[in-house]
Amino acid sequence: MVDIWIFVQQRDGDVEEATFGLATEAKRMLAELDQAGQVTAVALGPASESVLEALGAYGVQRVLHVANDHMNRYQGEIFGRALFDLVQKENPACLLMAQSSETEDLAQRAAAMMKTALVTRAMDFSMTADGTARAIRPVANGYLFEDVSLDTYPAPIVLFLPSVLFDTQPDREAAATVTRVDLPDAVDDLKTRTIQVIEAAPEDLDLTEADIIVAGGRGVGKGEAFDIIHALARAIGGSVGGTRPIIDWGDLPYERQIGQTGK
């Protein structure tokens, strides 16, 4: 049976919308394979059982939940080791994530330990019965797209651009089966530890984490003309984004691009 995993992204105790989009992608892949399979969600860190059970309405059959006292906040070494141990134990067909600053770090750690393929900024991903897979990802700031072929063993990790994970509505009345998984605590082997958490200023907050975004495009203009966007963001406590022309002109870095090939 094909077991496709999706990674549960959480914020303030709630499941983020991108996770539901991943469930839709996983269901699509299973339908294309035309094989018996299931969608498994992996949740690391604190999450209520009722919230995780609700993923069943989006097509998730089971949830593997790993949590301990050291997983209340993301820590790359702890989360990476937990994910690696879980993959080694369960052997899924692939692992899908929505790309964010957190999953970029986590996916690289897990892929290195697994010695497997890692596809970033994916816009599409599919598998075939012969053990190969295909991913489409943008290059050159989205002006070109590349078609990547890879093996599905060991299980590849795929980071989807959040902008291609469309809003998904629950389509069934079912609860996912939540299984609590106890794994060895790696805290004694850590090379790093969290001393202090410094909250980002609203203007600098990652676009995927911001409640308010002030975005500008070609019509605003370049250079000093774009300062009005920064001023408005500071005034209302928002983060700053821009469309592709603003990024191409160098007024904002790529991670602040909004659109199909951005966020």
Side-chain angles (χ1 to χ4, degrees):
M1 182 175 69
V2 180
D3 190 8
I4 297 179
W5 283 16
I6 65 172
F7 182 74
V8 179
Q9 290 190 230
Q10 307 173 59
R11 184 181 183 190
D12 298 330
D14 294 324
V15 175
E16 294 191 0
E17 290 293 330
T19 303
F20 306 133
L22 290 175
T24 298
E25 289 295 323
K27 290 189 295 182
R28 172 189 60 79
M29 291 168 59
L30 285 175
E32 291 176 350
L33 282 171
D34 194 24
Q35 294 183 14
Q38 66 178 359
V39 179
T40 297
V42 178
L44 303 180
S48 70
E49 186 167 324
S50 60
V51 167
L52 297 179
E53 286 179 343
L55 291 171
Y58 298 87
V60 175
Q61 280 80 30
R62 64 171 186 153
V63 179
L64 301 177
H65 185 202
V66 183
N68 59 44
D69 293 339
H70 301 287
M71 300 180 75
N72 292 326
R73 181 181 291 273
Y74 178 74
Q75 207 280 1
E77 286 185 87
I78 295 176
F79 277 57
R81 170 57 65 178
L83 184 57
F84 171 69
D85 289 345
L86 203 56
V87 170
Q88 293 294 97
K89 181 180 179 181
E90 295 278 340
N91 192 30
C94 63
L95 172 58
L96 311 181
M97 299 182 178
Q99 187 143 351
S100 67
S101 55
E102 179 180 299
T103 56
E104 285 173 0
D105 179 76
L106 177 61
Q108 292 181 65
R109 293 175 183 272
M113 288 187 282
M114 293 164 57
K115 295 182 172 59
T116 191
L118 170 61
V119 180
T120 61
R121 302 178 63 237
M123 300 185 68
D124 188 34
F125 181 72
S126 58
M127 299 189 302
T128 60
D130 65 1
T132 60
R134 176 173 177 259
I136 305 295
R137 59 191 302 274
V139 294
N141 271 351
Y143 289 104
L144 300 172
F145 298 87
E146 64 178 3
D147 191 327
V148 181
S149 296
L150 58 149
D151 294 328
T152 56
Y153 184 83
I157 299 177
V158 182
L159 293 178
F160 276 89
L161 287 171
S163 55
V164 303
L165 298 173
F166 299 103
D167 290 341
T168 302
Q169 299 299 319
D171 59 3
R172 65 197 72 190
E173 293 184 4
T177 300
V178 179
T179 302
R180 181 68 177 262
V181 181
D182 294 320
L183 295 175
D185 195 340
V187 68
D188 293 335
D189 300 327
L190 297 183
K191 297 181 176 65
T192 59
R193 60 192 178 101
T194 302
I195 301 298
Q196 180 183 5
V197 178
I198 302 173
E199 298 293 340
E203 188 180 352
D204 300 324
L205 197 63
D206 188 277
L207 294 179
T208 60
E209 301 292 330
D211 293 320
I212 300 173
I213 298 173
V214 181
R218 188 189 302 273
V220 177
K222 64 176 71 174
E224 293 182 357
F226 199 78
D227 289 347
I228 191 173
I229 299 296
H230 290 281
L232 178 56
R234 286 192 293 271
I236 64 175
S239 188
V240 175
T243 57
R244 183 187 292 170
I246 301 301
I247 309 304
D248 290 345
W249 290 337
D251 289 305
L252 287 177
Y254 172 74
E255 57 266 22
R256 300 213 158 267
Q257 180 175 323
I258 291 176
Q260 187 176 21
T261 56
K263 298 177 180 176

